[in-house]
Amino acid sequence: MAVSTMDSESSRTPQPAPALTKGSYSLLSARALGARLGTQGKHYFCGSVAAFTNIVVTFPIQKVLFRQQLHGVLATEAVQQLQRDGLRNLYRGLLPPLLQKSTTVAIMFGLYEDFSRVLLDRAAGSGIPELATRSFAAALAGTAEAVLTPFERVQTLLQDHRHHGRFKNTVHTFRTLVTEHGVRECYRGLMPILIRNGPSNVLFFGLRGPIKEQLPEVDSRAGHMASDFVCGGLLGAALGIMFYPLNVVKSRAQSQVGGAFQPCRQVLLTVWRERGGSVAMLFRGATLNYHRSLLSWGIINATYELLLKELS
């Protein structure tokens, strides 16, 4: 904090501080926070806040999508299920994704920047292409996110209406799983998450810049926000469709409590048979997932970039 020297007149008569006007005060606060967070800490903070904002806005849509993935029903039937559950249960299961997504997106952006910096320093002069180094950094960050699989596990159980009577809340679900089945049960569905996270991170960070370069040039804050929203939204939506079957496998595996851990291939074959060997049925809910991802990753990318600029 800067300390200014005041003359005797100003010490006797309080003077209005220009920095405390509404706009300049916000800018000063943002820059002060950015200085406290440091160069690398800003990426974690911005990622976390961006994910928090997204989850609060899109959670009801995610819940409809989850019911479609789990039961293979139409969106109208999924909405009717939520209506029968009542408004009281609409945000049931919010805490796990709020904690999980806020943390994983912070890890996603923060670790990507950290790994990129370290690996680029190590690879300097080695002839390794920067693209390859950054791709490896993105894959490492995605793999690290998987440590938070238990949050996705608990979210799945709390959103599944078949478990409403058994699990009361986030803490109770964690305690029940660990007490009755051990810590390993919290990591059911880990493999599809690992297979999904690494490649999706590589594509997201690798294509984010090139896609934005293809959009019309802008010079206003609103224009940059719109470009970042479109860039993140289109990329997130495309990746959501690409990895949709893995999310179906994850949801099915994590809806089970106890029993043997089945390989991804076995779970996928089970779902395939139950849905009559139909690709359309396997991708049931993919349309809603596309629109939800478009909105979610648009919000995340635009919020992240805006905050990063404000804190710089």
Side-chain angles (χ1 to χ4, degrees):
M1 179 183 295
V3 179
S4 59
T5 303
M6 298 183 292
D7 59 20
S8 58
E9 179 62 25
S10 62
S11 64
R12 291 193 299 270
T13 306
Q15 300 295 318
L20 295 183
T21 60
K22 186 175 181 181
S24 58
Y25 180 74
S26 299
L27 183 60
L28 180 63
S29 299
R31 286 178 176 171
L33 177 59
R36 293 177 70 90
L37 290 170
T39 304
Q40 300 305 318
K42 287 187 292 188
H43 296 284
Y44 291 94
F45 176 80
C46 294
S48 182
V49 175
F52 183 95
T53 304
N54 162 61
I55 289 296
V56 171
V57 172
T58 64
F59 185 75
I61 302 174
Q62 169 60 31
K63 205 159 189 179
V64 172
L65 175 62
F66 168 77
R67 296 290 176 90
Q68 289 191 278
Q69 288 177 340
L70 187 60
H71 304 300
V73 297
L74 294 171
T76 51
E77 172 59 26
V79 170
Q80 288 171 3
Q81 287 183 7
L82 295 182
Q83 288 176 333
R84 289 193 293 269
D85 291 344
L87 186 62
R88 181 170 174 267
N89 287 314
L90 181 61
Y91 274 87
R92 174 183 166 88
L94 172 66
L95 186 58
L98 203 58
L99 296 174
Q100 182 259 344
K101 201 67 177 177
S102 296
T103 307
T104 55
V105 175
I107 289 173
M108 173 182 167
F109 283 104
L111 281 186
Y112 169 70
E113 293 295 333
D114 284 346
F115 284 141
S116 293
R117 176 172 47 82
V118 172
L119 292 174
L120 286 171
D121 286 345
R122 294 290 183 89
S126 66
I128 299 176
E130 181 178 343
L131 177 61
T133 304
R134 289 191 175 276
S135 295
F136 187 52
L140 287 176
T143 303
E145 291 174 45
V147 74
L148 297 171
T149 293
F151 286 110
E152 290 197 50
R153 174 81 167 106
V154 171
Q155 176 190 355
T156 298
L157 294 175
L158 289 176
Q159 288 185 351
D160 188 348
H161 65 91
R162 296 173 301 180
H163 295 297
H164 279 185
R166 181 175 183 184
F167 300 113
K168 299 176 183 178
N169 51 46
T170 301
V171 175
H172 178 258
T173 306
F174 269 123
R175 185 167 56 241
T176 302
L177 290 177
V178 173
T179 302
E180 296 183 2
H181 304 283
V183 175
R184 185 168 180 262
E185 184 69 26
C186 294
Y187 282 88
R188 189 182 289 272
L190 174 63
M191 191 53 65
I193 290 174
L194 283 171
I195 297 172
R196 175 197 69 190
N197 283 6
S200 64
N201 266 19
V202 171
L203 292 172
F204 180 82
F205 286 112
L207 296 175
R208 194 166 59 131
I211 289 176
K212 188 172 182 179
E213 289 175 359
Q214 299 305 311
L215 299 176
E217 290 187 13
V218 293
D219 52 14
S220 66
R221 173 185 286 190
H224 280 295
M225 283 191 67
S227 293
D228 290 328
F229 182 91
V230 171
C231 172
L234 289 176
L235 191 50
L239 293 175
I241 293 295
M242 185 182 301
F243 294 99
Y244 190 79
L246 281 173
N247 283 324
V248 172
V249 170
K250 178 194 75 73
S251 295
R252 172 56 68 90
Q254 292 187 333
S255 66
Q256 177 184 337
V257 179
F261 280 60
Q262 296 183 334
C264 289
R265 181 173 176 276
Q266 183 59 47
V267 177
L268 180 59
L269 287 174
T270 299
V271 174
W272 178 261
R273 286 195 296 266
E274 289 178 356
R275 301 187 183 183
S278 168
V279 174
M281 288 295 291
L282 180 64
F283 276 83
R284 174 64 62 84
T287 301
L288 180 59
N289 182 69
Y290 176 87
H291 292 98
R292 195 267 309 172
S293 296
L294 189 70
L295 178 61
S296 293
W297 283 101
I299 291 173
I300 288 173
N301 199 50
T303 305
Y304 171 81
E305 293 294 344
L306 175 65
L307 287 172
L308 202 58
K309 290 184 180 72
E310 290 294 324
L311 295 177
S312 299

